[in-house]
Amino acid sequence: MDAPETTHGAMTPDGKRLVTLIPGDGVGPEVVDAARRIVEATGAPVAWDEQQAGGEVFKQGLPSGVPQATIDSIHRTRVVLKGPLATPVGFGEKSANVTLRKLFETYANIRPVREMPGVPTPYSGRGIDLVVVRENVEDLYAGIEYMQTPGVAEALKLISHKGCEKIVRLAFEFARSEGRKTVHCATKSNIMKLTEGTLKRTFEAIAPEYPDIEAHHIIVDNAAHQLVKRPEQFDVIVTTNMNGDILSDLTSALVGGLGFAPSANIGDDIAIFEAVHGSAPKYAGKDVINPTAVILTAAMMLRHIGLFDQASAVEQATVVTWEEGDARTRDVVGDAGAATTSAFANAVIANLGRTSDRYPARVRTPLQMPRLNLPPDLVKPETRRVVGLDVFVESALSPNELGPSIERAVDGSAVALKTISSRGTQVYPSAGAVTDTVDAFSCRLMQIDGGTDLTDDQTVDVLARVGAEHRWVHVEKLQEFDGVSGFTKAQGED
Ligand code: NAD
């Protein structure tokens, strides 16, 4: 069997690749132990640096759920195999999982699903074999939220050109490394033209650099529909964080559920491997949960550190175990006659070295991580201009009362009121829509003297004038870059 090909990451004195192992919470220790025993049985030159994170750490009073020793270990080893982590009710505010992903900028979440012989599903026989590549650090899941008023909540969906370029290139590189032929980019760019549209435009700009791979854009709701109707048409799907979360849970259900869904969180330098499923606390310590997802995750981890033969051995032995059906866990066969977690792992170990004709091993090449070194200000326009402001105010007035009041307030300033909208729909001047209003309104104030930049002094003057009459709660600069609007229009706005 081959030796590790990666150059970075810690090695033991006897030449084994060190991997940080986090057993995790609930069923984590059982399934991680199954994976660990199987990896060891392949003879892979891997040594474990066992560390803690999650439930017990929160309970010891550490609000992040991730101790410094674990962080230090990951910096050393650069590769992690982990079980699920729980956030116990009443401890910690943030999930330890999200902390780990963000701390190590693992910007891509790779979630493959493939039909498992011997695991009956409504899709059996259709050859599902696809991968969702989900952006993992941006989008609504950054969790940047505010209460605009006591009754209106806001979340910021930040999508960067840089983040899109990284995930798109990674998706194409991943497709190449697996010999896959098609990449679909799933977005909601028809509605969110700037945020989701950035991923679509970046995808379309980069796709020609990968002429060996077919590239298609698909609207994400259609992707969900097509995934249920004809999932076998998909190969790789690249998408934004929240879309990817939802689509990848859907895809795991197509091949038998969470027990069969492995995943990798990949960053430039560090990769964290974990099953998609959580800690399933109801089954903790009972030796009944399906360890397949974590075992397939361990195979992804082995491949990542260059141990392709051992990775295939683990994967193929797992497939043979399911195909022959002599050890099947209760999520597939129910309680009667189900194999325990440890018995399943023993069966996989016994099957090491065997291969399945129905699940041929892919011909893979090492993933070429895109080394982009992109500057933070990646997109540099030649011209830019602030052309107005959206000032959000809290008000219980009707639009027809608020409109004239704002017009009077800004009379004599550098701006004039263009429209007022309520949750994205123009309500003043009335465009004829029947809109139920709430107590947050966005007042679009456009610069009167077009052609110059609205200055900060003028902005402060406008806010003071509006603030003298109403409570303003949020402001957005309306900008143009190279003459193109950097803002969208409200529904009904001309
Ligand atoms: P869960 O994935 O633990 O369980 C959902 C359902 O799937 C349950 O019915 C469970 O029994 C079943 N299931 C899960 N894994 C299975 C497996 N390997 N084989 C068979 N059936 C399996 O999700 P949940 O109940 O929403 O979350 C429980 C805890 O896990 C929460 O604290 C949550 O925050 C945490 N969680 C952690 C991660 C992670 O660490 N990456 C992911 C999801 C949830």
Side-chain angles (χ1 to χ4, degrees):
M1 290 199 176
D2 46 4
E5 287 172 15
T6 43
T7 48
H8 60 262
M11 307 288 286
T12 60
D14 57 348
K16 289 184 175 165
R17 177 63 198 259
L18 205 55
V19 172
T20 300
L21 188 80
I22 302 175
D25 297 315
V27 297
E30 300 158 48
V31 289
V32 168
D33 182 63
R36 169 193 189 142
R37 287 199 292 123
I38 294 165
V39 168
E40 286 171 358
T42 67
V46 164
W48 312 101
D49 185 17
E50 190 167 324
Q51 298 289 340
Q52 300 305 313
E56 286 311 308
V57 180
F58 281 118
K59 286 182 187 164
Q60 285 157 19
L62 195 66
S64 69
V66 185
Q68 190 59 43
T70 303
I71 295 171
D72 293 344
S73 167
I74 298 172
H75 275 299
R76 261 194 326 275
T77 65
R78 295 169 181 248
V79 57
V80 183
L81 179 63
K82 68 176 275 291
L85 305 180
T87 311
V89 178
F91 295 87
E93 284 227 334
K94 296 271 178 194
S95 134
N97 289 305
V98 177
T99 301
L100 280 174
R101 283 176 211 157
K102 295 221 161 200
L103 211 54
F104 298 106
E105 189 73 24
T106 53
Y107 65 85
N109 184 217
I110 299 180
R111 294 185 170 187
V113 294
R114 186 167 173 184
E115 179 177 334
M116 183 64 83
V119 177
T121 74
Y123 295 92
S124 289
R126 293 180 46 180
I128 293 172
D129 181 3
L130 63 90
V131 184
V132 175
V133 177
R134 161 188 171 193
E135 201 289 326
N136 214 19
V137 290
E138 298 195 336
D139 195 8
L140 288 168
Y141 284 17
I144 310 168
E145 297 196 305
Y146 305 93
M147 294 305 296
Q148 275 200 356
T149 72
V152 177
E154 170 194 356
L156 282 189
K157 178 176 167 88
L158 295 181
I159 303 276
S160 70
H161 183 103
K162 184 176 175 180
C164 291
E165 178 143 0
K166 286 167 78 174
I167 195 70
V168 165
R169 287 190 183 279
L170 185 87
F172 279 113
E173 291 295 345
F174 183 79
R176 257 190 192 163
S177 77
E178 295 234 319
R180 293 180 183 266
K181 297 285 171 246
T182 311
V183 178
H184 279 85
C185 174
T187 77
K188 194 69 186 170
S189 57
N190 52 332
I191 303 290
M192 287 171 274
K193 294 185 165 55
L194 299 185
T195 51
E196 294 276 317
T198 297
L199 181 63
K200 176 174 186 276
R201 285 186 293 278
T202 309
F203 176 77
E204 287 167 349
I206 290 172
E209 294 180 38
Y210 295 86
D212 47 324
I213 294 172
E214 250 183 71
H216 301 284
H217 177 260
I218 184 167
I219 299 291
V220 66
D221 36 341
N222 184 30
H225 174 233
Q226 294 291 330
L227 275 168
V228 173
K229 215 173 157 196
R230 219 163 56 78
E232 58 277 15
Q233 69 185 290
F234 292 101
D235 203 355
V236 174
I237 300 173
V238 62
T239 189
T240 46
N241 200 342
M242 188 163 111
N243 291 335
D245 190 19
I246 298 166
L247 287 187
S248 63
D249 256 41
L250 186 160
T251 55
S252 70
L254 301 175
V255 296
L258 287 172
F260 295 90
S263 94
N265 299 289
I266 308 260
D268 280 340
D269 299 310
I270 284 166
I272 301 175
F273 294 83
E274 60 181 338
V276 170
H277 67 75
S279 59
K282 207 166 104 186
Y283 299 108
K286 296 193 174 146
D287 200 23
V288 295
I289 210 81
N290 179 1
T292 302
V294 184
I295 297 169
L296 296 178
T297 298
M300 291 177 82
M301 185 273 292
L302 289 171
R303 211 167 276 131
H304 180 78
I305 57 177
L307 299 171
F308 282 74
D309 290 353
Q310 292 89 339
S312 285
V314 169
E315 197 173 78
Q316 287 292 317
T318 307
V319 176
V320 168
T321 304
W322 279 110
E323 192 171 12
E324 297 193 343
D326 35 357
R328 295 190 293 172
T329 45
R330 65 176 291 288
D331 53 323
V332 175
V333 291
D335 284 323
T340 60
T341 308
S342 42
F344 181 86
N346 293 343
V348 173
I349 290 169
N351 282 326
L352 280 170
R354 300 181 61 199
T355 56
S356 164
D357 292 340
R358 287 165 68 197
Y359 193 116
R362 280 187 169 281
V363 177
R364 292 178 166 95
T365 50
L367 171 63
Q368 300 300 318
M369 284 298 291
R371 295 280 167 196
L372 294 173
N373 202 16
L374 300 169
D377 54 347
L378 174 63
V379 184
K380 295 190 188 70
E382 288 187 3
T383 64
R384 56 189 302 158
R385 201 158 74 81
V386 179
V387 298
L389 301 169
D390 272 353
V391 178
F392 289 66
V393 298
E394 178 178 343
S395 175
L397 295 179
S398 73
N400 282 334
E401 294 165 324
L402 182 63
S405 168
I406 298 286
E407 280 162 351
R408 279 193 301 277
V410 299
D411 188 26
S413 77
V415 298
L417 180 68
K418 184 182 179 211
T419 58
I420 297 178
S421 57
S422 168
R423 292 160 298 150
T425 302
Q426 180 174 326
V427 291
Y428 180 86
S430 170
V434 187
T435 308
D436 191 12
T437 54
V438 295
D439 65 353
F441 292 93
S442 171
C443 305
R444 179 149 290 182
L445 300 161
M446 300 304 289
Q447 191 189 28
I448 296 167
D449 179 14
T452 59
D453 213 20
L454 187 73
T455 66
D456 283 356
D457 284 348
Q458 289 169 328
T459 300
V460 170
D461 174 53
V462 169
L463 290 176
R465 286 163 175 266
V466 172
E469 303 291 328
H470 302 280
R471 186 190 292 272
W472 68 268
V473 292
H474 179 89
V475 62
E476 289 283 350
K477 282 184 177 180
L478 303 179
Q479 305 184 81
E480 274 181 10
F481 302 110
D482 291 333
V484 178
S485 273
F487 52 96
T488 54
K489 289 185 172 167
Q491 254 341 303
E493 183 180 345
D494 56 29

